[in-house]
Amino acid sequence: MNNTTVRAISGTVFVILMVLCLSFNKFLFAAMVITIMVFMLLEYYKISMGDSYAFSKVLAILSAVFLFVLMFVMQAYHLQLRFVALAMVPVFIVMINSIYLKDKSEYDKLSNIYTGLLYIAIPIALSNLIAFDKAGNFSGLLLIDFFVIIWCSDVGAFTFGKLLGKKFPKKLFESVSPHKTWVGFFGGLFCSVLAAFVLYETGILRFPLIHSLILSVIMSVAGVYGDLFESQWKRFYRVKDSGNIIPGHGGMLDRFDSTLMAMPFGAIYLAIFDLL
């Protein structure tokens, strides 16, 4: 099978598994998201830090899981907001642990510990705000809406770029990602807006039409920046893929690079207008 076929099959299977986990109950949602987050952090730390400071990386991943669990309990069981501050304790332990390191020849690499938490753990933990309503009821529907918009943007950018890239070859950000074109960007934007319109018309996306369309634009643009950020990071470390866990797609970071920026921006927009 060629790469496009492998990519399509593995992507379809992955989407089905995600939709199933988001459709049943909050514990499947939590297990799925924690698993994805841990794999992303492992990929990020492996590429940016190699085999250095293994114990510090373990502490950081445990910190990320602890933050997610606190946010989960806050949303699902009305844990008071002040207790979320407990998530800082493991982070401080990571910092204190760095003082006791015997080999500090690569001490600068420890900065990637905190970058990984900011870049990956915090956006993923915020998914709890999208998965639960104000009464603490779980519904993965809005998260599915978010993913549909993001995926349609990605697929639209890829398709339009492939079909029209030679005719309209102007690059979007050549120094970071030489294959992305403006026609792909606008194709992705069009597909994300179309997806939001269809979701609205079918009653799946339960916001006023204008908010649904603006949400799709914000998430599409933010997703592009998320993609470009990961591309720049991989270019710096001279790697093609962050991993190989998903055939045809690479690693978890390759699959969710857009989501890490699109989802928080979407949540912020909805929160501003009290729609979450």
Side-chain angles (χ1 to χ4, degrees):
M1 290 187 292
N2 60 40
N3 186 64
T4 302
T5 304
V6 171
R7 183 183 177 92
I9 293 173
S10 62
T12 301
V13 172
F14 192 73
V15 167
I16 291 172
L17 288 174
M18 285 195 63
V19 171
L20 288 175
C21 288
L22 291 172
S23 300
F24 281 97
N25 63 58
K26 57 191 175 187
F27 299 111
L28 270 178
F29 150 74
M32 178 196 73
V33 175
I34 287 174
T35 301
I36 290 171
M37 178 178 68
V38 168
F39 273 105
M40 285 198 287
L41 286 167
L42 285 171
E43 290 171 359
Y44 181 82
Y45 291 144
K46 177 66 176 177
I47 292 173
S48 61
M49 299 177 69
D51 296 324
S52 303
Y53 305 126
F55 185 63
S56 295
K57 289 186 284 190
V58 170
L59 287 176
I61 292 172
L62 290 175
S63 301
V65 173
F66 187 50
L67 172 62
F68 181 90
V69 170
L70 281 173
M71 292 291 292
F72 177 86
V73 175
M74 184 186 77
Q75 290 297 105
Y77 301 104
H78 303 291
L79 177 73
Q80 294 185 28
L81 181 60
R82 67 175 183 268
F83 288 108
V84 178
L86 290 171
M88 288 302 297
V89 173
V91 178
F92 288 138
I93 292 174
V94 174
M95 297 168 70
I96 293 169
N97 172 69
S98 70
I99 298 172
Y100 292 93
L101 293 173
K102 293 181 179 180
D103 181 8
K104 298 184 180 181
S105 60
E106 298 179 302
Y107 195 78
D108 59 309
K109 287 187 176 181
L110 283 174
S111 61
N112 290 300
I113 290 286
Y114 311 109
T115 302
L117 293 174
L118 178 63
Y119 172 43
I120 297 169
I122 291 178
I124 294 297
L126 291 176
S127 65
N128 286 290
L129 301 179
I130 304 167
F132 293 90
D133 63 20
K134 294 176 181 178
N137 300 310
F138 171 75
S139 173
L141 185 60
L142 182 55
L143 269 175
I144 292 173
D145 291 336
F146 271 39
F147 282 122
V148 168
I149 291 171
I150 294 167
W151 290 334
C152 284
S153 178
D154 289 346
V155 171
F158 178 80
T159 304
F160 277 78
K162 280 286 186 182
L163 294 176
L164 301 174
K166 290 184 178 180
K167 188 173 183 179
F168 303 99
K170 188 172 178 58
K171 303 299 181 182
L172 178 65
F173 216 122
E174 191 169 10
S175 63
V176 175
S177 185
H179 300 299
K180 287 182 173 57
T181 60
W182 277 103
V183 71
F185 168 79
F186 286 113
L189 187 62
F190 169 76
C191 289
S192 65
V193 171
L194 180 61
F197 179 77
V198 172
L199 290 169
Y200 168 81
E201 286 293 323
T202 54
I204 299 174
L205 188 57
R206 300 168 184 171
F207 302 124
L209 179 60
I210 185 63
H211 285 299
S212 299
L213 298 181
I214 293 174
L215 175 68
S216 67
V217 171
I218 290 172
M219 291 182 66
S220 180
V221 174
V224 170
Y225 277 109
D227 194 331
L228 288 171
F229 180 82
E230 198 224 7
S231 295
Q232 179 172 259
W233 169 72
K234 288 191 298 185
R235 179 175 286 268
F236 178 80
Y237 286 103
R238 295 180 175 86
V239 296
K240 182 180 184 295
D241 297 319
S242 66
N244 55 13
I245 192 171
I246 309 174
H249 291 267
M252 285 293 183
L253 263 175
D254 296 316
R255 179 64 274 172
F256 289 97
D257 53 357
S258 302
T259 306
L260 288 172
M261 201 167 288
M263 189 167 63
F265 269 91
I268 290 168
Y269 174 79
L270 294 178
I272 288 172
F273 290 94
D274 198 27
L275 296 171
L276 273 181

